[in-house]
Amino acid sequence: MANNNQPAQKKEGLGGYLRGVRKEMKKVVWPTRKELGAYTVVVLATCAVCALGFWLIDMGVLTALRQVLGITLS
């Protein structure tokens, strides 16, 4: 069942799509080199903190399993 409440969309093809992409990319505000460096440091630090957190949780669960069930993992 077709929805007649929607206005008909004009099909522009690949060329129209690429023109739209180019138009939107001109609106993007790119970070400066200094901002990019700062953002990179924040991302790397966040990844390191999360990795450390997951490792600590994993070690805690493993220790609890060893204590409760008396198992060992090789």
Side-chain angles (χ1 to χ4, degrees), residues 7-74:
Q9 291 183 345
K10 182 179 174 184
K11 295 189 178 190
E12 298 179 6
L14 181 60
Y17 172 75
L18 293 176
R19 280 190 295 277
V21 169
R22 174 179 259 174
K23 184 178 177 182
E24 290 299 318
M25 288 302 288
K26 288 181 180 180
K27 297 177 184 178
V28 174
V29 179
W30 297 99
T32 64
R33 183 176 292 270
K34 185 176 181 180
E35 289 172 332
L36 185 60
Y39 296 156
T40 301
V41 169
V42 169
V43 168
L44 292 176
T46 302
C47 288
V49 167
C50 288
L52 179 64
F54 284 126
W55 180 76
L56 289 172
I57 291 169
D58 183 51
M59 293 306 293
V61 169
L62 181 59
T63 302
L65 285 174
R66 285 180 180 163
Q67 294 294 323
V68 172
L69 301 176
I71 62 171
T72 59
L73 299 176
S74 309

